[in-house]
Amino acid sequence: MNSINDYTHFALDIKDENIIFTDYQEELRGGRRAKVYYGTLETPIKQCPTCHSAALVRNGSARVSIRYLAVDASRPVYLDLRKQRLRCQRCHATVMATTPLVERHCHISNAVKQKVRIELTRQLAMTEIAADTGASPNTVARELTAMPMPQTHLQQAGLPHNLAFDEFRGVGSHLHFICLNNDNHQIFQILAQRTRHTVTEYFSQFSPAERAQVHSVTIDLNYHYQEIIRQLFPNALIILDGFHLCQMATRAFNQLRAQTAKQFATNSREYRCLKFGWKQYLKASEQLSSRRYYDVHLHEWISPLEKVH
C-alpha cells in the first residue's frame, strides 16, 4: 500500500479496480465539513456494445459526485469522479463508464441505501435514520417504498378452529391484513392489503368443508370483517375484541362526564371534581384509596374514595 489509490480503496472498502483515486481534500459541502475523494472512473469495454467494433476512442468525460457511506454522519463522504466516455468511430455510439458502487442516474451509493434499509428494520423515525446515514428523509422514504411487500402463501395445515382478524401499518405506511390462530396466538397469515376483495379471495382458496369447521373469529369493530365472516365461515361465532369494547365504554363515559361538568359553574365544587378527577372515575372501586390528601383544586383534605362518592 504505497499510493493514495491503494489507501483509499482500503479505507473505503471499494473493490472496483476501475476507479483510480488521485487526490483527497476536506471541503465545505451543504454547510458541513466533508471528505472528498477525487478520482477517475475508467471503462474496461474494448468493443462497441452496438456494432461490436473495436474502433473506440476517448470522447471526454462527465463529472459526478457520489454520496458514500461515512463512519461519522457529521462528516459526510463524497466520491468526486470523472467518468470516462468512449465513442465508436464506426457507428458513432457512445459508452459511459459505470461502477457497481452506484445505480445509473443516481448520486447516492448502494452502501448508503443498504444501511438505510438495515436501519428501517429498527423502530426509528425517518429523520433519525436520515441523520445517522447522511441521507435525506426523502431518500429514506423512497427506500422504504422500494422494500418488498409481504408475500401471501397458502397455509397447507388447514384453517385453525379459532381465528382472529386485524390490520397493522407496515411497509410504506400501508395497512396490511393479519390473521392469527386464536388458540396459540401465532401468526397464521399476512396479506399485503386489507381490502374485502383480497381477504375474500385468499380464504376462498380453502374448501367449504374447511371453512365450515371454523368455530369463532375475533375481530374489532370493522363492519366489513363481519360481512366476510358471514359469507365465508357460516358456522363461526363473531367475537368482538374486549379491548375495543372497553375503549368504547371509556370514551362514552368521558364524553358524558364532560357534558355533565358543563352544566355547572366553572368555580363550583362539582365542576372541579368532574374536571380534575377524571382518572379516579376510571378506576375499580377496590383500587380507590381512603387516605386523605390535600386537593389543590378543591382546597380541602379529601380521599379519592370520597371524591368519587
Side-chain angles (χ1 to χ4, degrees):
M1 187 178 299
N2 52 9
S3 66
I4 187 174
N5 181 52
D6 296 335
Y7 171 77
T8 306
H9 275 272
F10 176 79
L12 300 181
D13 194 22
I14 295 177
K15 307 299 182 182
D16 191 356
E17 298 296 335
N18 296 320
I19 300 178
I20 301 175
F21 293 100
T22 57
D23 196 7
Y24 159 81
Q25 292 182 6
E26 290 191 0
E27 300 177 359
L28 276 176
R29 292 201 176 185
R32 292 187 294 179
R33 300 288 299 180
K35 299 179 180 179
V36 184
Y37 296 88
Y38 293 90
T40 58
L41 175 59
E42 299 180 352
T43 175
I45 298 177
K46 302 300 181 182
Q47 293 183 348
C48 176
T50 304
C51 65
H52 305 287
S53 172
L56 292 176
V57 295
R58 293 180 179 271
N59 189 33
S61 61
R63 182 176 177 179
V64 294
S65 182
I66 302 173
R67 185 67 175 266
Y68 199 70
L69 192 64
V71 178
D72 185 1
S74 62
R75 299 285 298 278
V77 175
Y78 292 92
L79 305 182
D80 201 308
L81 304 178
R82 288 194 172 275
K83 299 169 62 176
Q84 185 185 66
R85 183 168 55 229
L86 302 178
R87 182 175 179 270
C88 179
Q89 293 180 324
R90 181 177 178 181
C91 66
H92 306 292
T94 58
V95 180
M96 183 69 71
T98 59
T99 174
L101 293 180
V102 65
E103 297 178 0
R104 189 179 180 182
H105 305 305
C106 186
H107 295 274
I108 301 176
S109 65
N110 295 329
V112 174
K113 295 181 179 180
Q114 181 65 23
K115 186 176 181 180
V116 168
R117 293 176 182 177
I118 294 175
E119 294 295 321
L120 284 171
T121 60
R122 303 167 57 191
Q123 294 183 354
L124 297 174
M126 288 188 180
T127 53
E128 295 181 3
I129 297 177
D132 293 340
T133 59
S136 66
N138 291 334
T139 300
V140 178
R142 285 194 297 268
E143 290 302 311
L144 178 62
T145 306
M147 292 179 69
M149 300 290 288
Q151 301 295 323
T152 61
H153 301 282
L154 182 64
Q155 300 290 334
Q156 302 297 330
L159 286 169
H161 294 303
N162 299 290
L163 297 173
F165 292 174
D166 204 354
E167 59 271 346
F168 68 97
R169 193 172 300 277
V171 177
S173 298
H174 298 294
L175 287 174
H176 309 303
F177 174 82
I178 183 172
C179 177
L180 301 179
N181 184 340
N182 220 14
D183 294 327
N184 54 18
H185 304 288
Q186 298 296 319
I187 297 178
F188 179 74
Q189 185 56 272
I190 294 178
L191 302 180
Q193 298 179 356
R194 59 160 186 162
T195 61
R196 179 175 180 176
H197 173 74
T198 303
V199 177
T200 303
E201 183 180 15
Y202 169 73
F203 284 106
S204 297
Q205 300 178 66
F206 295 92
S207 64
E210 287 182 298
R211 289 188 272 111
Q213 294 179 358
V214 177
H215 298 160
S216 68
V217 181
T218 303
I219 60 174
D220 53 13
L221 301 175
N222 192 325
Y223 179 75
H224 295 289
Y225 289 161
Q226 300 181 30
E227 294 181 340
I228 294 173
I229 295 169
R230 294 189 181 99
Q231 175 185 350
L232 299 176
F233 308 103
N235 301 326
L237 179 66
I238 299 177
I239 302 176
L240 296 181
D241 185 18
F243 168 79
H244 294 88
L245 295 178
C246 293
Q247 188 182 50
M248 288 183 60
T250 302
R251 187 182 297 113
F253 177 79
N254 284 329
Q255 291 177 355
L256 178 61
R257 178 187 56 80
Q259 294 173 1
T260 305
K262 292 179 181 179
Q263 299 176 5
F264 301 96
T266 56
N267 58 351
S268 63
R269 189 172 187 272
E270 293 80 1
Y271 178 85
R272 294 178 180 274
C273 284
L274 292 172
K275 173 70 175 179
F276 303 105
W278 63 272
K279 289 185 179 180
Q280 297 172 354
Y281 300 123
L282 300 178
K283 292 184 177 180
S285 57
E286 59 270 12
Q287 294 181 348
L288 293 174
S289 174
S290 59
R291 184 177 180 180
R292 291 188 174 184
Y293 69 98
Y294 185 78
D295 193 309
V296 295
H297 302 291
L298 299 179
H299 305 290
E300 62 178 280
W301 290 84
I302 189 173
S303 67
L305 185 61
E306 291 174 340
K307 182 183 294 186
V308 172
H309 286 322

